[in-house]
């Protein structure tokens, strides 16, 4: 069943993409749907064309306003909302981060946080994902991984499939190994903290060997392993120019380049009989 709206395109069986202020990914099960990001809400008008009568969940990759442009329609849809725990307060208390007179002591202000763009109105979060978490919906299995860089608490949702992981990666990387915006990674007045975070996040996603990568803007990344590797090299090159002579601090690969994800969430295999935990609180 195809939609009459050309903005809604089928990507895989039961997986669609609706494009407006951002890419909104639609995972269908029967007449129900789970959305990844929400855009301006136009996706709701197109869903009946593919047999969807209700949205049960909206999973936000991050808080930027283009992801959640139409708060009113989101709240009226009846969908439950999930978001990264590190960004929950941006959704639920956006006015805290839009002061007319911010101070240097504020955690996120116009003095250095152009990457903070909360929604116009508060969005109640029904479930906040930890940095390494699991989520099941109607037989679909997601793993969450923290992938900051474009925003402080961005999250990538890995969807398990028979042929490998599908990665819904927000603004981690665009197709052709491109940076979405430079200013969203300017965290610390020119010392590269956001770029380091992006690099580490790209490295983490790369190690899960995703089959396809679905960004918040632009086309699907069909060869994510090659592009993520190239993207990391580009970030290193950019950092060399950006730091203006300061030493770089790219050592994320030094920590572990031999373990691989196992079938158990966040338990990584080193040898046939040796495993380690990875994620928040683990070495």
């Amino acid at each position: 069943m195809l939609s009459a709206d050309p903005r809604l395109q089928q990507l895989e069986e039961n997986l669609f993409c609706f494009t407006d202020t951002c890419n909104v990914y639609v995972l269908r099960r029967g007449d129900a749907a789970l959305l990844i990001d929400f855009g301006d809400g136009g996706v709701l008008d197109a869903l009946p064309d593919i047999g969807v009568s209700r949205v049960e969940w909206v999973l936000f990759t991050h808080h930027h306003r283009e992801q959640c442009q139409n708060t009113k329609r989101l709240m009226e849809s009846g969908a439950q909302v999930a978001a990264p725990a590190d960004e929950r307060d941006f959704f639920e208390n956006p006015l805290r981060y839009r002061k007319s007179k911010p101070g240097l002591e504020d955690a996120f202000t116009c003095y250095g946080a152009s990457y903070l763009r909360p929604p116009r109105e508060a969005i109640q979060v029904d479930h906040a994902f930890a940095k390494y978490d699991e989520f099941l919906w109607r037989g679909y299995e997601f793993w969450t991984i923290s992938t900051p860089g474009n925003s402080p608490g961005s999250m990538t949702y890995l969807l398990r499939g028979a042929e490998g992981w599908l990665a819904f990666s927000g603004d981690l990387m665009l197709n052709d190994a491109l940076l979405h915006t430079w200013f969203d990674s300017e965290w610390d007045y020119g010392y590269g903290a956001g770029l380091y975070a992006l690099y580490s996040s790209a490295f983490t996603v790369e190690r899960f060997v995703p089959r396809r990568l679905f960004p918040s803007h632009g086309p699907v990344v069909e060869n994510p392993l090659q592009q993520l590797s190239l993207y990391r090299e580009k970030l290193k090159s950019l950092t060399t120019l950006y730091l203006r002579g300061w030493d770089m601090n790219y050592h994320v690969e030094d920590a572990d380049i031999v373990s691989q994800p196992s079938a158990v969430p966040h338990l990584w295999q080193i040898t046939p009989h040796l495993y380690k935990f990875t994620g928040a609180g683990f070495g």
Side-chain angles (χ1 to χ4, degrees), residues 122-144:
I123 296 174
Q124 184 64 40
V125 174
D126 298 290
H127 185 81
F129 290 122
K131 292 182 177 180
Y132 296 90
D133 218 339
E134 293 176 87
F135 181 73
L136 300 176
W137 178 75
R138 291 180 171 262
Y140 291 107
E141 179 185 356
F142 288 92
W143 289 10
T144 74

Side-chain angles (χ1 to χ4, degrees), residues 91-166:
F91 286 93
E92 295 188 333
N93 298 290
L95 293 181
R96 289 182 183 173
Y97 306 97
R98 291 205 303 270
K99 296 180 180 179
S100 59
K101 294 183 178 181
L104 285 172
E105 71 281 359
D106 294 333
F108 302 99
T109 78
C110 65
Y111 290 112
S114 58
Y115 53 86
L116 204 77
R117 298 191 298 279
R120 291 177 58 243
E121 300 170 317
I123 296 174
Q124 184 64 40
V125 174
D126 298 290
H127 185 81
F129 290 122
K131 292 182 177 180
Y132 296 90
D133 218 339
E134 293 176 87
F135 181 73
L136 300 176
W137 178 75
R138 291 180 171 262
Y140 291 107
E141 179 185 356
F142 288 92
W143 289 10
T144 74
I145 53 175
S146 177
T147 50
N150 177 259
S151 76
S154 292
M155 182 159 278
T156 292
Y157 299 109
L158 296 173
L159 175 61
R160 185 189 290 278
E163 300 178 27
W165 294 108
L166 302 179

Side-chain angles (χ1 to χ4, degrees), residues 17-38:
C17 178
F18 184 89
T19 303
D20 48 46
T21 57
C22 72
N23 291 337
V24 179
Y25 295 101
V26 181
L27 187 61
R28 180 180 64 183
R29 178 70 86 190
D31 65 347
L34 174 148
L35 307 182
I36 297 177
D37 293 319
F38 189 71

Side-chain angles (χ1 to χ4, degrees), residues 72-86:
K72 185 174 185 291
R73 290 208 73 182
L74 173 61
M75 295 297 98
E76 290 176 348
S77 72
Q80 295 189 82
V81 172
D86 284 351

Side-chain angles (χ1 to χ4, degrees), residues 46-275:
L47 291 179
D49 292 346
I50 58 171
V52 171
S53 61
R54 66 187 185 279
V55 176
E56 295 185 342
W57 281 94
V58 177
L59 277 53
F60 283 108
T61 57
H62 60 294
H63 77 281
H64 285 162
R65 195 176 298 181
E66 57 266 33
Q67 316 301 123
C68 48
Q69 187 74 18
N70 196 328
T71 307
K72 185 174 185 291
R73 290 208 73 182
L74 173 61
M75 295 297 98
E76 290 176 348
S77 72
Q80 295 189 82
V81 172
D86 284 351
E87 297 201 353
R88 180 173 196 160
D89 202 47
F90 304 158
F91 286 93
E92 295 188 333
N93 298 290
L95 293 181
R96 289 182 183 173
Y97 306 97
R98 291 205 303 270
K99 296 180 180 179
S100 59
K101 294 183 178 181
L104 285 172
E105 71 281 359
D106 294 333
F108 302 99
T109 78
C110 65
Y111 290 112
S114 58
Y115 53 86
L116 204 77
R117 298 191 298 279
R120 291 177 58 243
E121 300 170 317
I123 296 174
Q124 184 64 40
V125 174
D126 298 290
H127 185 81
F129 290 122
K131 292 182 177 180
Y132 296 90
D133 218 339
E134 293 176 87
F135 181 73
L136 300 176
W137 178 75
R138 291 180 171 262
Y140 291 107
E141 179 185 356
F142 288 92
W143 289 10
T144 74
I145 53 175
S146 177
T147 50
N150 177 259
S151 76
S154 292
M155 182 159 278
T156 292
Y157 299 109
L158 296 173
L159 175 61
R160 185 189 290 278
E163 300 178 27
W165 294 108
L166 302 179
F168 300 88
S169 55
D171 286 327
L172 174 65
M173 181 189 76
L174 302 188
N175 191 42
D176 293 328
L178 295 178
L179 184 69
H180 177 232
T181 59
W182 164 78
F183 55 82
D184 282 329
S185 301
E186 173 43 58
W187 290 10
D188 61 347
Y189 293 97
Y191 291 95
L195 296 177
Y196 292 139
L198 272 176
Y199 186 98
S200 180
S201 295
F203 184 64
T204 299
V205 173
E206 184 180 337
R207 296 186 68 204
F208 280 91
V209 195
R211 180 168 61 85
R212 303 176 83 188
L213 189 145
F214 302 93
S216 281
H217 297 89
V220 174
V221 180
E222 301 291 355
N223 54 339
L225 288 185
Q226 295 90 331
Q227 290 206 35
L228 286 165
S229 178
L230 175 60
Y231 183 55
R232 291 192 291 110
E233 292 306 310
K234 288 182 175 182
L235 289 173
K236 278 188 174 180
S237 179
L238 172 60
T239 308
T240 302
L241 301 172
Y242 187 58
L243 294 186
R244 307 174 307 280
W246 290 90
D247 291 335
M248 290 197 304
N249 184 30
Y250 279 112
H251 301 299
V252 62
E253 302 102 320
D254 297 343
D256 174 12
I257 60 172
V258 297
S259 66
Q260 297 294 326
S262 73
V264 179
H266 317 302
L267 185 68
W268 289 56
Q269 185 170 14
I270 303 171
T271 70
H273 303 287
L274 182 63
Y275 294 78

